[in-house]
């Protein structure tokens, strides 16, 4: 097994500004971390065993970033709907006109697998260039078996085409397809009894999600999706309390969900339920900003009850057309008044919990996969401070160079 020595780093093993180790080194053996700490404490055996040495030039080194909520695979875009919203139309108004998610469904159904792959690859590469080493990709723009399968196959293909960990989430219950208008329960039957079993058999699903909302699916329908996931031993997630308070977060907690996401209208009962279940609160400042929401997620309640908070791009064509996780750090600080330490935890350790992948921890400790980023910065605060200035100089994933600026 090859031993590699990475020297001359300023090490932030938990992406915490309070625990920066100056003049540090990392030893990797194969895809894992074998040792890390102050260089003067580096064991002689590792120095002698090293087959390669890389000087990081005094860069700050953090764990690889985790984007734990994306809809990266889709056809077309919704720039025209953006213009409608600027003219005063609401998200619900556009959805009722056949726009919103359904317009992307049409474009995604019409696109070939290769077209979806090439479009998503550009978005993925933008995220990788900002230090993302693990990502969740949801389906949900097919709403029929063939297109959901196509989307999930593209997601798997992305993980083979680039050195990045891809976790796939089946979001068949994202919206009601036009051919099921007025028959939501029949569509949930299709999701639970036909689509999910077929996709599980093809090993395309790592987790299951549902959009629990007035323009999505109600609590009873959402619970049916969770029960179907449970039958296959799959973890669950939920788009919850984004536009109204339906009690989705509390329901997700009853099923020990990895995460409940959006959460602008979350109440204290839901917060307490999430804390007791260990469910991560995934906040999506890009969507909050893009649809011009005014209801802030209940940050003080989440802090009060100790619910772990993750931050993600929600990269999607309708409500968060962004491929910059670093910009989301800035937005979480400015819009939600989160601290630098909170947002950095939100894209490392807490995002890893929300992702639920066994190889992704969001930290740098001995025995973990060697996923880390070297940043051309003087302090960690710069990651949340600057917008648009390239700062990522090197990405290492599973012990090998995955990106170099």
């Amino acid at each position: 097994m090859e031993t590699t020595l990475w020297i001359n780093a300023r090490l932030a093993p938990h992406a915490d500004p309070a625990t920066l180790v100056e003049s540090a080194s990392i030893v990797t053996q194969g895809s894992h971390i074998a040792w890390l700490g102050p260089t003067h404490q580096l064991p002689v055996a590792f120095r002698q065993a090293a087959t390669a040495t890389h000087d990081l030039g005094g860069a700050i080194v953090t764990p690889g970033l985790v984007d734990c909520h994306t809809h990266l695979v889709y056809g077309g875009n919704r720039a025209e709907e953006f213009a409608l919203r600027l003219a005063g139309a609401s998200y619900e108004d556009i959805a009722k006109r056949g726009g919103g998610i359904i317009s992307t469904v049409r474009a995604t159904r019409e696109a070939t697998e290769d077209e979806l792959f090439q479009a998503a690859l550009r978005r993925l590469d933008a995220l990788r260039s900002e230090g993302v080493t693990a990502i969740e990709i949801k389906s949900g723009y097919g709403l029929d078996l063939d297109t959901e399968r196509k989307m999930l196959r593209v997601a798997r293909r992305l993980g083979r085409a680039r050195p990045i960990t891809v976790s796939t989430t089946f979001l068949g219950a994202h919206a009601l397809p036009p051919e099921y208008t007025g028959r939501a329960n029949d569509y949930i039957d299709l999701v639970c009894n036909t689509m999910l079993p077929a996709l599980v058999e093809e090993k395309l699903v790592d987790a299951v999600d549902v959009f629990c909302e007035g323009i999505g699916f109600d609590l009873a329908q959402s619970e049916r999706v969770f029960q179907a996931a449970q039958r296959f031993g799959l973890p669950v997630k939920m788009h919850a309390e984004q536009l109204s308070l339906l009690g989705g977060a509390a329901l997700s907690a009853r099923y020990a969900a990895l995460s409940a996401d959006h959460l602008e209208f979350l109440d204290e009962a839901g917060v307490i339920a999430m804390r007791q279940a260990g469910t991560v609160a995934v906040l999506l400042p890009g969507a909050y900003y893009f649809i011009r929401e005014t209801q802030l997620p209940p940050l003080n309640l989440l802090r009060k009850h100790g619910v772990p908070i993750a931050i993600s791009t929600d990269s999607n064509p309708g409500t968060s057309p962004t491929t910059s996780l670093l910009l989301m750090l800035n937005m979480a600080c400015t819009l939600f008044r989160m601290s630098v330490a909170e947002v950095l935890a939100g894209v490392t350790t807490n995002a890893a919990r929300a992702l639920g992948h066994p190889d992704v921890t969001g930290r740098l400790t001995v025995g973990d996969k060697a996923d880390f980023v070297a940043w051309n910065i003087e302090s960690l605060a710069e990651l949340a401070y600057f917008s648009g200035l390239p700062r990522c100089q090197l990405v290492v994933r599973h012990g090998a160079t995955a990106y170099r600026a």
Side-chain angles (χ1 to χ4, degrees):
M1 186 181 300
E2 184 173 300
T3 299
T4 302
L5 181 57
W6 310 81
I7 63 170
N8 197 11
R10 301 173 65 207
L11 184 62
H14 300 279
D16 184 353
T19 57
L20 192 65
V21 182
E22 301 287 350
S23 302
S25 295
I26 302 172
V27 178
T28 58
Q29 289 185 324
S31 62
H32 289 76
I33 296 172
W35 185 90
L36 74 170
T39 301
H40 71 271
Q41 296 178 8
L42 176 64
V44 173
F46 284 128
R47 288 185 185 273
Q48 295 173 339
T51 54
T53 300
H54 300 281
D55 189 332
L56 297 175
I60 290 183
V61 174
T62 70
L65 306 189
V66 180
D67 199 354
C68 63
H69 178 132
T70 85
H71 305 255
L72 209 67
V73 177
Y74 57 83
N77 68 68
R78 278 148 62 184
E80 290 304 314
E81 292 180 16
F82 175 58
L84 286 174
R85 278 205 298 275
L86 292 176
S90 71
Y91 186 70
E92 293 94 331
D93 290 338
I94 292 170
K96 288 174 183 175
R97 295 182 199 177
I101 292 170
I102 296 303
S103 64
T104 299
V105 169
R106 288 193 295 269
T108 305
R109 288 179 175 181
E110 292 168 2
T112 67
E113 186 170 320
D114 282 344
E115 288 169 340
L116 292 175
F117 173 77
Q118 292 299 331
L121 190 63
R122 291 179 60 199
R123 296 186 277 269
L124 183 68
D125 282 343
L127 289 162
R128 289 177 56 244
S129 73
E130 289 195 344
V132 173
T133 57
I135 189 170
E136 185 244 30
I137 301 177
K138 303 179 191 291
S139 67
Y141 292 129
L143 310 185
D144 61 33
L145 177 56
D146 287 345
T147 314
E148 292 290 301
R149 176 190 287 122
K150 179 171 63 175
M151 293 182 69
L152 290 168
R153 284 208 314 237
V154 167
R156 289 281 196 238
R157 186 175 163 188
L158 290 167
R160 295 191 297 270
R162 292 291 188 267
I164 189 168
T165 302
V166 174
S167 184
T168 58
T169 297
F170 172 54
L171 181 57
H174 194 193
L176 192 63
E179 61 269 26
Y180 277 84
T181 299
R183 297 189 295 132
N185 286 324
D186 290 341
Y187 179 64
I188 292 297
D189 286 342
L190 179 73
V191 167
C192 296
N193 301 327
T194 300
M195 295 167 72
L196 181 58
L199 298 170
V200 169
E201 185 176 358
E202 295 175 42
K203 296 181 169 47
L204 293 173
V205 183
D206 297 321
V208 175
D209 198 347
V210 59
F211 183 31
C212 182
E213 190 52 76
I215 60 171
F217 297 94
D218 64 25
L219 286 172
Q221 292 158 348
S222 299
E223 185 164 21
R224 289 179 59 198
V225 173
F226 282 178
Q227 289 169 343
Q230 204 172 49
R231 289 196 291 273
F232 291 102
L234 290 168
V236 297
K237 308 178 179 187
M238 180 182 276
H239 286 59
E241 332 295 20
Q242 180 185 8
L243 305 172
S244 61
L245 174 61
L246 295 184
L251 173 63
S252 68
R254 290 208 301 275
Y255 284 83
L258 290 171
S259 69
D261 304 30
H262 287 289
L263 304 176
E264 282 84 347
F265 288 83
L266 178 64
D267 64 358
E268 189 163 16
V271 171
I272 292 170
M274 290 174 64
R275 177 66 183 107
Q276 292 171 342
T279 298
V280 177
V282 178
L283 304 187
L284 304 167
Y288 176 91
Y289 163 82
F290 198 75
I291 68 172
R292 298 190 293 179
E293 181 57 74
T294 57
Q295 174 82 19
L296 285 165
L299 264 300
N300 287 336
L301 285 176
L302 294 170
R303 291 170 178 136
K304 172 184 173 183
H305 293 286
V307 175
I309 301 169
I311 303 295
S312 188
T313 61
D314 190 18
S315 184
N316 77 77
T319 61
S320 190
T322 181
T323 53
S324 175
L325 188 55
L326 294 182
L327 178 59
M328 298 305 99
L329 298 186
N330 180 276
M331 285 187 174
C333 290
T334 56
L335 298 176
F336 298 163
R337 300 295 188 266
M338 295 179 69
S339 70
V340 170
E342 284 177 322
V343 298
L344 289 173
V347 294
T348 53
T349 52
N350 292 342
R353 288 180 62 176
L355 191 74
H357 192 289
D359 287 342
V360 180
T361 63
R363 63 177 187 258
L364 300 177
T365 58
V366 172
D368 287 337
K369 292 287 188 181
D371 294 352
F372 57 86
V373 187
W375 304 95
N376 183 22
I377 55 178
E378 293 299 319
S379 75
L380 283 170
E382 291 181 43
L383 295 181
Y385 168 69
F386 283 113
S387 297
L389 181 65
R391 286 143 286 164
C392 174
Q393 68 181 46
L394 177 73
V395 178
V396 173
R397 186 235 179 207
H398 290 190
T401 298
Y403 171 84
R404 189 184 295 274

